[in-house]
Amino acid sequence: MDKTDHIFTLPDDIAAQNFENALDAVAHLTELYQAAADFLCAKFVSVLETGGSSTRYRAYYPEVRITTKSYASVDSRLSFGHVSGPGTYATTVTRPALFSHYLEQQLRLLMENHNVTVQVAYSDTPIPVHFAVANDPSLIVPPDASGFTLRDVFDVPDLSTTNDDIVNGSTEPKADGSQPLALFTAQRVDYSLARLAHYTATDPAYFQNHVLFTNYQFYVEEFEAFARQKLADPASGYLAFVGTGNHQITRNDGNLQRSAKTPQMPTYHLTRADGSGITLVNIGVGPSNAKTATDHIAVLRPHAWLMVGHCAGLRNSQSLGDFVLAHAYLREDHVLDDDLPVWVPIPALAEIQTSLEQAVAEVTELRGYDLKQIMRTGTVATIDNRNWELRDQSGPVRRLSQSRAIALDMESATIAANGYRFRVPYGTLLCVSDKPLHGELKLPGMATDFYKTQVARHLRIGIRAMELLREMPLERIHSRKLRSFEETAFL
C-alpha cells in the first residue's frame, strides 16, 4: 500500500542495504530505480485517464554512498577508483540498467581500494515524471494534460539543481556533509539522456565508448560503408550498425531504413557487445553544436572522443588533403568561457596523440620523417565566426601567427576543452580542405575530387586510432592530467 509523506503519496519504501559485492549493489540500485519509475508511470497513466488528481505523487532516485575513515594507500598511477580522504561520499543514480557495467566497475574499485561496503538506498532527490516515463515510448508527457497542470501533481525537471557544479569545481558539501562520488547527479544525467535522444534521434543505449565527431555528412556515408564491411566479417566483433530513428542492420547487405526527418546531429553506432564499438556524430558546423553534443554525451562516460573534420590550412607549405594533428588549441569559440576560462591550458594527451599518429602511419603506410610530408602537428585555432576572412584580417591573423597556429576550424578546441572539463580523453585530427590566407578556396569541382579521395582515408585513420585506444587498459587511457586536486572517485 502507498504511504503518504506530508502532501505526497510515495511508493512502498525499500530499506537501505549495505553490500560487499558490486554486482549485488547494482542489482539493488536497479530494483529501487525500477520500483520508483514504475510507480510514477502508473500514476501518470491514471491521472491522464481521470483528467486530474487531488493527490500529489512523488518517487525518489536511488543513491549509492560510502564512508571511509582513513586515507587509503592506492596506486599513485590511478586517476580514478578512490577518494581523496576520509569522509562520506554519495551520488544519486538513474537508469542503473543502462550504466550497469560502469557502476559495477567503479563500485568494485572503491570497495577494493578502501575496503568499505557500499550503502544503497533511496535519496532525497525526486525523480521528475518526464524522465521516469522517458523509457516507455507509449507515454508522452504533455506540457498541459487534460486540463491539469503537470507540476501540480508530479515533480518536473528543476533546472536550478541540474547543473555542472561538480565538474566545474564549484560544488559545496551537502547539508549532511557528504561529498560527490560522481561527476554528474541523476537529474543531470537524465536531462542529457533526453537531450541526446532529441538531437541525435538515437537511443542513448546505443552509444559506444569511443566517439568520433565530424562536421561533414561525407564521413557518415563512409562510416556506413566501413560498418557494412565489418558486419560481413564474423570475427570483427561488431554486432550491428544503428542509424537515426534507431533503425539498424546486423548484416552487411541489410537495408538500413532512413528516418523521415534528419535530426540536428545525425548519429550512427557500430556496436559491440561490451559497448566498445564506435559512435560517429555529425555535429555540423560551429562551436555551439560541438558544446551541445559533448555536454550531453559526457554523461555516458565514454573512454575517448576525437574530432575528425575539415579545417583551413594556415601555412603555405601545406597542401589540400594534408592532415593536422592538434597538440594545442587557440580558443576563440567563446561558448565555454563561463565554464572553463580561456587561461586554462588544454594539454595534449600522450595516449591519444600516439594512437592518432600510429593510425596515420598505418593507413598511409608512411613512417618517421616521411610522415611529415602529409601531416603536421601544432596549434589548432577554433573560432565562432565562419566568415572571419571578410573582416579586417590584421587582428585575427596576428593572433594566429603569435599562437603558431597551423590550422583553423570551428569545433576542435570546443570538443577538446569540454573533454578536459568532463574528464573525457580527447584528440583532434583534421584534414586541410582549403587555404584562405593563400588564395586556395574550395570550389565545387575541387571539393568533389578532394572529398572522394580523402574522406575514406581520414575516417579510417580515426577508426584505427579508436581501435588502438580500445586495446589499452582504462587506467592508461584516463590520464591523471584530467583530474583535479580533490576528484570524484567515479570516472
Side-chain angles (χ1 to χ4, degrees):
M1 180 180 294
D2 293 342
K3 67 178 183 179
T4 300
D5 181 10
H6 301 296
I7 62 172
F8 296 101
T9 297
L10 310 174
D12 291 337
D13 194 20
I14 300 178
Q17 292 188 36
N18 292 316
F19 294 92
E20 297 180 351
N21 179 281
L23 193 64
D24 294 338
V26 174
H28 194 55
L29 279 169
T30 303
E31 178 188 0
L32 293 183
Y33 176 79
Q34 201 57 53
D38 288 347
F39 169 82
L40 289 175
C41 287
K43 296 303 181 184
F44 179 74
V45 170
S46 175
V47 171
L48 284 181
E49 291 174 350
T50 59
S53 174
S54 58
T55 303
R56 296 196 67 185
Y57 300 103
R58 168 173 285 181
Y60 296 99
Y61 285 110
E63 174 189 76
V64 61
R65 178 179 293 254
I66 71 160
T67 298
T68 178
K69 298 180 179 180
S70 66
Y71 291 93
S73 178
V74 298
D75 190 335
S76 62
R77 295 170 296 181
L78 295 177
S79 67
F80 61 95
H82 53 87
V83 296
S84 59
T88 297
Y89 301 81
T91 186
T92 50
V93 176
T94 188
R95 302 279 298 273
L98 174 63
F99 293 95
S100 60
H101 177 70
Y102 167 78
L103 290 168
E104 290 167 17
Q105 178 189 66
Q106 302 305 306
L107 292 177
R108 176 178 51 79
L109 287 171
L110 273 174
M111 292 174 172
E112 292 175 354
N113 288 330
H114 293 280
N115 192 28
V116 294
T117 60
V118 168
Q119 183 186 78
V120 176
Y122 279 120
S123 70
D124 58 2
T125 302
I127 302 177
V129 68
H130 299 66
F131 300 148
V133 305
N135 295 326
D136 188 341
S138 67
L139 296 179
I140 300 175
V141 183
D144 188 23
S146 303
F148 74 92
T149 302
L150 201 62
R151 68 177 62 218
D152 286 342
V153 182
F154 299 98
D155 291 292
V156 296
D158 182 2
L159 294 183
S160 67
T161 58
T162 306
N163 53 55
D164 284 333
D165 285 354
I166 300 174
V167 296
N168 289 345
S170 56
T171 188
E172 298 290 339
K174 297 183 67 175
D176 62 2
S178 64
Q179 301 176 66
L181 194 59
L183 290 169
F184 301 103
T185 63
Q187 283 179 305
R188 173 64 168 84
V189 173
D190 266 337
Y191 174 77
S192 282
L193 295 180
R195 293 292 83 201
L196 277 178
H198 171 73
Y199 286 120
T200 71
T202 58
D203 192 302
Y206 290 119
F207 273 79
Q208 302 295 290
N209 286 327
H210 306 90
V211 183
L212 292 172
F213 296 105
T214 188
N215 49 15
Y216 278 98
Q217 181 66 20
F218 299 94
Y219 287 82
V220 173
E221 297 164 5
E222 185 60 33
F223 189 50
E224 180 176 340
F226 174 84
R228 290 181 181 276
Q229 176 186 348
K230 290 300 180 181
L231 291 178
D233 178 11
S236 70
Y238 293 105
L239 302 179
F241 182 65
V242 183
T244 56
N246 298 320
H247 303 304
Q248 60 180 288
I249 57 173
T250 56
R251 295 166 49 94
N252 69 307
D253 58 353
N255 179 30
L256 184 64
Q257 185 178 343
R258 309 297 173 178
S259 298
K261 295 182 179 180
T262 302
Q264 183 173 342
M265 299 179 191
T267 299
Y268 300 82
H269 316 275
L270 183 55
T271 68
R272 293 169 67 95
D274 59 357
S276 65
I278 299 172
T279 289
L280 177 72
V281 187
N282 179 8
I283 56 176
V285 177
S288 179
N289 278 1
K291 180 180 184 299
T292 297
T294 49
D295 275 350
H296 300 312
I297 293 174
V299 305
L300 299 174
R301 308 315 298 146
H303 296 321
W305 61 39
L306 304 177
M307 178 65 187
V308 286
H310 292 173
C311 67
L314 300 178
R315 301 300 177 90
N316 195 39
S317 57
Q318 291 171 304
S319 300
L320 301 187
D322 281 357
F323 296 116
V324 173
L325 176 58
H327 273 192
Y329 300 90
L330 172 62
R331 294 173 51 200
E332 295 195 355
D333 54 336
H334 302 301
V335 294
L336 280 169
D337 292 359
D338 291 337
D339 293 309
L340 194 70
V342 292
W343 51 260
V344 174
I346 309 300
L349 305 179
E351 294 77 14
I352 301 291
Q353 301 300 98
T354 55
S355 295
L356 280 169
E357 186 166 350
Q358 181 179 338
V360 174
E362 290 183 13
V363 173
T364 64
E365 298 183 344
L366 296 173
R367 293 290 192 278
Y369 190 68
D370 291 337
L371 198 59
K372 292 179 177 290
Q373 296 175 10
I374 62 163
M375 185 180 77
R376 291 191 65 154
T377 59
T379 298
V380 169
T382 292
I383 59 170
D384 58 359
N385 178 9
R386 177 60 185 84
N387 299 311
W388 64 277
E389 305 102 313
L390 303 182
R391 302 188 63 183
D392 178 8
Q393 293 187 19
S394 59
V397 171
R398 183 181 300 113
R399 292 195 298 276
L400 292 173
S401 177
Q402 291 172 334
S403 68
R404 309 299 191 266
I406 61 172
L408 180 145
D409 78 345
M410 299 186 69
E411 300 86 24
S412 293
T414 308
I415 289 170
N418 241 6
Y420 179 85
R421 188 165 74 101
F422 291 127
R423 288 75 161 173
V424 176
Y426 51 85
T428 300
L429 183 74
L430 302 177
C431 191
V432 176
S433 60
D434 62 334
K435 296 168 58 183
L437 295 182
H438 306 93
E440 293 190 50
L441 304 179
K442 282 182 289 190
L443 298 176
M446 292 169 55
T448 300
D449 292 339
F450 166 74
Y451 293 139
K452 285 182 179 179
T453 57
Q454 286 302 98
V455 165
R457 188 162 68 160
H458 191 194
L459 182 66
R460 296 296 173 108
I461 291 169
I463 291 172
R464 179 57 186 146
M466 287 303 199
E467 292 173 342
L468 293 170
L469 291 168
R470 182 169 64 210
E471 296 168 2
M472 289 186 188
L474 283 186
E475 58 269 20
R476 190 176 159 201
I477 298 174
H478 289 273
S479 172
R480 291 176 295 179
K481 292 187 183 74
L482 301 182
R483 313 296 279 186
S484 184
F485 301 108
E486 295 182 353
E487 272 292 342
T488 62
F490 285 13
L491 274 179

